[in-house]
Amino acid sequence: MNKAGLIGLGAMGAGIAGTLRSKGYEVHVCDVRPGAALRFAEQGGVAWATPAQVAAACDVVVSVVVNAQQTEDVLFGAGGAAAAMKPGSVFVMCSTVDPNWSIALEERLNAAGIHYIDAPISGGAAKAASGQMTMMSAARPEAYAKADPVLDAMAGKVYRLGDRAGAGSKVKIINQLLAGVHIAAAAEAMALGLREGVAPDALYEVITHSAGNSWMFENRMAHVLAGDYTPLSAVDIFVKDLGLVLDTARASKFPLPLASTAHQMFMQASTAGFAKEDDSAVIKIFPGIELPASSKAGKP
């Protein structure tokens, strides 16, 4: 049986691990929450306590953690994967990070004889679990040669955007620019409708069948209508990701007026106490509106 390692069993990582297992892989996992790895092992995976143990068991290790700092910890922290990875093995980095950081990480791992794939992902938990997510990747040919079967098993679309790290992360932050702006705009539109007394269900029905619709309006405003802000992607994710977008543009003095405004909206939502709520909670920054109550209210 082919083996694959996966570190990070959050919403996306858990779905990827399940997809790999369904494709016939023996999936070795670890997570900072030991219970998450053990639950996966009960369903047919192999749980380890540290990234190093996963790396020792597998030639391809996929990291699905939140940011660059967590990736550093996975690789170089106590029990880190880098020291245990065999020469010629592959580290697949799926987080949204500064492209320059990703470029530097490739150089650092290559110097240790480890291949690296800059491979941010998109699509959400449902597409990760069904194997239909999108991967924006860049890597040296020898890295692809070894990891291609795993990548193709993980994702419905694997875009190969360059033969060096960086291009994958650049495309991902551009995707996040659009995603963040679309969520902020969707929230603004729904908030105006509520302020003007439009029935929210009717507004949602009309917009989702009209030219003003977007995937983010259709997906995230459904959360608002349900009054359910359980985090699938949290407000603070877009504080981080739009911050990366702006940092990248600032380095080349490129203006991003819409992304800047959306970032401020997510910052406002975060500081108002909604940091860990679903990113659709950015609508809560608008004054003088009554949001739909939770559809779970009063249920046991």
Side-chain angles (χ1 to χ4, degrees), residues 107-134:
E107 294 173 356
R108 188 175 180 183
L109 290 177
N110 286 174
I114 300 166
H115 299 307
Y116 173 73
I117 301 182
D118 175 31
I121 52 179
S122 183
K127 287 191 175 182
S130 65
Q132 294 303 308
M133 68 178 188
T134 297

Side-chain angles (χ1 to χ4, degrees), residues 88 90 110 115 139-147:
V90 186
N110 286 174
H115 299 307
R140 297 175 186 270
E142 52 268 35
Y144 280 130
K146 190 146 195 175

Side-chain angles (χ1 to χ4, degrees), residues 85-102:
M85 294 186 77
K86 297 181 284 292
S89 57
V90 186
F91 185 78
V92 182
M93 193 286 305
C94 294
S95 305
T96 303
V97 300
D98 181 331
N100 291 320
W101 178 88
S102 188

